[in-house]
Amino acid sequence: MRSKRASIKFIEKSYKLYEQKMYHVAYSILHDEGLAEDAVQEAFVKLMKHNVYFEEPLSDDCKRYIITVIKNSSIDIYNRKKREQEVIYFPGENPEIKNISLQNSAEEYADIEELASVLPAEYYLVVNCLAVKNLSVKETANELGITEANVRKRFERVKTMLKTIVKGSNRYGTEKQLRKSETL
């Protein structure tokens, strides 16, 4: 059985040999510098977790294995990013929704205000930034002083809350209970 020390030395050699090549493979899949760097890091973490070891880091088998690991890591990140984008709903991107006129009737504004009054303040702020001000997730995160992941999660929760409210089967209970249950 090989020692952990041998595996660590293998990882160090592999990093020196393949880090740039792995970055280029990841970048060709992801088309984003930051995500490509994340993919390389994720790939090396996988190699370390699984205690991968090859006698010779320059062997063809080792190269193929490392390329497979970086491709899979890159594809995982790509799919994760794609799912995140599907979760976030932007009114301007949905073909089913017609352009809403800025001259809404007083009744429509009352409906909007009623829905906004049901949402806890932190969720309303996220909706306001994303849907009303048309800010990106990153801009919203900067404006509200929270992480981008938090912005996405809050927006996802808002959609769930509004769907249940609109359907009339509010699983959260009364408005007061809704506000208490969703404070983060």
Side-chain angles (χ1 to χ4, degrees):
M1 185 170 147
R2 67 180 181 279
S3 69
K4 278 196 168 210
R5 187 154 177 79
S7 180
I8 291 170
K9 286 191 181 250
F10 167 75
I11 295 295
E12 289 173 354
K13 284 181 185 177
S14 297
Y15 184 82
K16 290 176 185 171
L17 289 171
Y18 298 114
E19 186 254 338
Q20 285 299 312
K21 292 175 187 172
M22 291 171 74
Y23 172 82
H24 291 295
V25 170
Y27 186 82
S28 70
I29 293 170
L30 298 167
H31 305 289
D32 183 275
E33 293 173 4
L35 293 177
E37 291 170 358
D38 290 346
V40 172
Q41 180 181 356
E42 192 175 294
F44 275 106
V45 168
K46 285 179 183 177
L47 292 172
M48 287 186 272
K49 271 185 183 174
H50 297 291
N51 237 0
V52 174
Y53 177 79
F54 284 88
E55 286 293 325
E56 183 56 45
L58 288 171
S59 71
D60 288 339
D61 288 338
C62 180
K63 287 179 191 175
R64 278 191 293 272
Y65 186 80
I66 288 178
I67 293 299
T68 302
V69 170
I70 188 62
K71 279 183 180 178
N72 289 339
S73 292
S74 300
I75 291 169
D76 289 346
I77 289 173
Y78 176 83
N79 289 336
R80 205 175 314 134
K81 196 74 171 164
K82 188 176 178 184
R83 277 192 306 273
E84 286 174 3
Q85 289 174 347
E86 289 172 357
V87 166
I88 296 177
Y89 161 76
F90 293 101
E93 296 177 3
N94 191 340
E96 294 174 7
I97 296 179
K98 309 288 184 230
N99 289 336
I100 299 172
S101 170
L102 293 176
Q103 300 170 353
N104 291 329
S105 70
E107 186 177 298
E108 288 173 321
Y109 278 122
D111 290 342
I112 292 169
E113 285 298 316
E114 182 181 339
L115 286 176
S117 69
V118 172
L119 298 175
E122 61 270 9
Y123 294 106
Y124 177 75
L125 292 173
V126 169
V127 171
N128 188 44
C129 288
L130 291 173
V132 177
K133 294 181 181 178
N134 288 324
L135 298 178
S136 68
V137 172
K138 187 174 186 175
E139 292 168 334
T140 301
N142 288 336
E143 184 169 316
L144 299 178
I146 57 177
T147 64
E148 292 178 38
N150 201 338
V151 170
R152 287 189 282 277
K153 190 62 175 179
R154 286 183 184 181
F155 196 68
E156 182 180 335
R157 287 178 180 157
V158 165
K159 291 190 302 184
T160 302
M161 282 187 264
L162 292 178
K163 282 179 187 175
T164 57
I165 290 168
V166 169
K167 287 181 183 177
S169 60
N170 188 347
R171 68 182 174 114
Y172 298 105
T174 65
E175 288 181 27
K176 203 176 250 186
Q177 289 170 331
L178 172 67
R179 291 173 194 249
K180 284 182 182 177
S181 69
E182 291 299 327
T183 54
L184 291 177

